[in-house]
Amino acid sequence: MRTTIALLLAGLIAVCAGTTSRAADAAKLALVIGNAKYPDNEFVLNDAANDAQAVADELKRDGFVVDRQTNLTGDAMRQALDRFYARIERGAVALIFFDGFGIQSNRQTYLLPVDAQIWVEPDVSRDGFSLDAILAEMNTRGAAIKIALIDASRRNPFERRFRRYSAGLAPAIAPSNSLVLYSSALGAVAPTGKTDHSLFVAELLREMRAPSISAEQALTNTKNGVVAATNREQVPWLSSSLTTEFSFAGLVARPPDNATADPAPTKPAPQKPVCEVPQAEPTPSADDLARDPVIADLSRKIAANANDAVSRYKRGQVYAIKRAHTLAMQDFDAVIRRDPRDAQALNNRCWTRAATGDLQGALADCNLALQLDPGLSDAFDSRGLVNLKLGRTTEAIKDYTDAIQRNPRSSSSLFGRGIATRRSGGDGASNIALAKSMDPNIAKEFAGYGVTECVP
């Protein structure tokens, strides 16, 4: 994928002194991508496909020339971007909408094609497409206004292969005269499920259709609408450096110079009960596991080469993520027999044993992993879970704190420390709230380990 250094904005429509420029007559181009069918994900993202179609239809009504694409592989996504760049003229309005999976790595947000093969963090930049680079290329090609609408703040099947927490998306380094909107806050993920349409896109479409408001105000209203509808559990992120007047649905009604807008009222967040017991995800059936394409591919590699420790380790990770703990243990056992000093495998076995209740075995694995690699933050996080389940709250708080010092964005460590603090007689609410803002499903994940916010 080509990367480009962002250049200074060029080709703005000429303006008179003391007035704001307008983009009403500029060419308007859009690339709309809905990636719904990721083979590594356990279900199709129907909302991604449906929302991409709805956004494309709305943009066409607003006068955009739209290229709508679905389920793009890496090669196809690169080709679609190249076609998009080639159509951008000086002074144009260029917009990209992406719905699918995204990952942040090295403080950049990457949009993922459906055939991404990600097992370790360096794979992200190899297979993903940097949003920063996309915006920079739009600017270099002469776009006067750059808009990126990104609905990719989802917990995804790739990220948990190389980190124990969901890092959400990173802030975009956008050129001047840009608008960027994410469906959730930086570093956070939005609740996921098998839905036909997302709340974020529903709010976005309603505001895009509103006449006589600026594009910036439409996106601000979208953010406020999602915040109100979710009682502040989902807070989209908006970045604007727009200096040119532009409206999706028509001319902007300019307020008098002395007019000041009242802030949009927001509903107060309801008081939640101290103790919540979410329903843990069910363990998939043997048939579900057998149909999983990633497991099937790794199993074929292992069948062809019984000494393929890498594939066996990866399959163990997938089994563990899918809560097939017995099968995960078998794979991790085999990897550790071949290399008893594999700290990562020991950590994964510790985590799996902790989830199943083999706490003394888990503690031994985590202790050995940390002897072999004293800086392994995931092992501190895993041992924190073990100590928490053993009732050793002081030790759990220390382990989680050590993990957070190494990984401040670890929602797992923050949530665990909050629970341990609460069980030791402290508050812990701020840690729990921060963890939930980063990962709305974290309480459900811990419920799968047998840990809830209820104080015993």
Side-chain angles (χ1 to χ4, degrees):
M1 176 179 55
R2 204 164 38 197
T3 57
T4 311
I5 299 175
L7 301 178
L8 293 175
L9 181 67
L12 283 174
I13 300 172
V15 297
C16 298
T19 64
T20 306
S21 60
R22 296 179 178 270
D25 298 325
K28 296 189 288 188
L29 308 169
L31 173 60
V32 175
I33 300 174
N35 282 349
K37 296 181 180 179
Y38 289 84
D40 286 19
N41 199 42
E42 58 187 344
F43 57 87
V44 175
L45 303 175
N46 289 325
D47 56 335
N50 296 337
D51 290 340
Q53 179 65 65
V55 169
D57 291 344
E58 179 58 35
L59 289 170
K60 288 177 183 177
R61 282 191 289 269
D62 295 338
F64 280 80
V65 177
V66 179
D67 179 14
R68 184 182 69 86
Q69 300 290 328
T70 58
N71 300 323
L72 296 183
T73 63
D75 287 343
M77 195 160 164
R78 185 173 294 105
Q79 292 168 12
L81 284 166
D82 286 343
R83 290 195 304 271
F84 176 55
Y85 299 145
R87 290 161 46 214
I88 296 175
E89 304 170 357
R90 285 284 167 194
V93 177
L95 181 150
I96 181 168
F97 173 86
F98 178 85
D99 206 325
F101 286 134
I103 292 182
Q104 74 157 286
S105 177
N106 295 321
R107 300 181 183 179
Q108 289 191 60
T109 289
Y110 289 86
L111 312 179
L112 299 184
V114 295
D115 62 346
Q117 293 294 310
I118 295 172
W119 291 96
V120 294
E121 189 162 5
D123 294 341
V124 176
S125 58
R126 182 200 67 197
D127 285 6
F129 292 81
S130 165
L131 178 60
D132 291 359
I134 292 171
L135 288 165
E137 185 70 14
M138 291 159 65
N139 186 63
T140 300
R141 297 298 181 108
I145 296 176
K146 286 74 59 178
I147 302 174
L149 308 173
I150 309 299
D151 193 1
S153 303
R154 294 179 170 92
R155 195 175 181 94
N156 61 70
F158 308 103
E159 192 169 20
R160 289 186 64 182
R161 295 171 181 171
F162 62 85
R163 56 168 72 113
R164 281 288 311 280
Y165 62 98
S166 182
L169 303 183
I173 308 301
S176 61
N177 225 27
S178 298
L179 273 173
V180 181
L181 181 65
Y182 293 168
S183 59
S184 194
L186 299 176
V189 292
T192 56
K194 298 179 181 179
T195 59
D196 290 332
H197 294 280
S198 76
L199 170 65
F200 169 74
V201 171
E203 293 290 333
L204 174 64
L205 290 172
R206 177 162 47 248
E207 297 303 331
M208 288 174 67
R209 293 165 183 155
S212 301
I213 64 170
S214 68
E216 182 173 357
Q217 188 61 53
L219 299 193
T220 299
N221 292 348
T222 298
K223 174 182 175 179
N224 292 338
V226 173
V227 169
T230 63
N231 290 315
R232 304 194 68 83
E233 290 187 0
Q234 183 178 345
V235 182
W237 179 77
L238 174 61
S239 173
S240 174
S241 60
L242 206 61
T243 59
T244 304
E245 284 186 5
F246 175 71
S247 172
F248 291 111
L251 294 176
V252 180
R254 301 182 66 182
D257 291 340
N258 62 350
T260 57
D262 293 327
T266 57
K267 297 179 181 178
Q271 294 296 316
K272 292 187 176 181
V274 173
C275 177
E276 296 181 355
V277 185
Q279 185 68 37
E281 294 288 343
T283 300
S285 67
D287 288 341
D288 290 336
L289 294 172
R291 287 193 294 267
D292 185 278
V294 177
I295 292 175
D297 180 60
L298 293 170
S299 296
R300 283 192 293 270
K301 292 178 179 178
I302 295 167
N305 179 9
N307 295 321
D308 187 351
V310 173
S311 293
R312 196 174 289 276
Y313 174 76
K314 290 179 178 179
R315 190 176 68 176
Q317 287 181 299
V318 178
Y319 279 142
I321 290 169
K322 291 182 175 293
R323 303 169 302 284
H325 296 121
T326 300
L327 295 172
M329 284 290 297
Q330 292 173 4
D331 279 338
F332 293 139
D333 286 345
V335 173
I336 293 168
R337 280 197 298 270
R338 291 184 59 82
D339 182 4
R341 298 181 62 80
D342 188 331
Q344 289 285 0
L346 285 162
N347 167 62
N348 275 273
R349 193 171 69 177
C350 168
W351 173 37
T352 306
R353 281 178 160 167
T356 58
D358 179 11
L359 300 181
Q360 293 304 323
L363 189 61
D365 278 345
C366 274
N367 287 340
L368 181 53
L370 287 167
Q371 288 176 21
L372 295 168
D373 186 352
L376 187 56
S377 62
D378 282 353
F380 281 113
D381 179 85
S382 298
R383 193 170 69 179
L385 176 62
V386 176
N387 282 321
L388 182 58
K389 295 189 72 171
L390 284 169
R392 299 165 54 176
T393 54
T394 301
E395 291 86 346
I397 291 170
K398 184 180 186 306
D399 278 336
Y400 282 130
T401 300
D402 286 340
I404 292 166
Q405 288 175 348
R406 292 163 173 80
N407 244 328
R409 300 298 300 174
S410 173
S411 58
S412 172
S413 298
L414 286 164
F415 190 82
R417 187 170 70 174
I419 297 299
T421 301
R422 178 174 288 175
R423 292 186 179 182
S424 66
D427 184 5
S430 60
N431 280 171
I432 292 171
L434 179 56
K436 286 181 173 180
S437 73
M438 295 163 60
D439 181 359
N441 294 315
I442 191 66
K444 184 179 292 187
E445 178 181 328
F446 267 70
Y449 307 148
V451 176
T452 71
E453 296 179 56
C454 300
V455 179

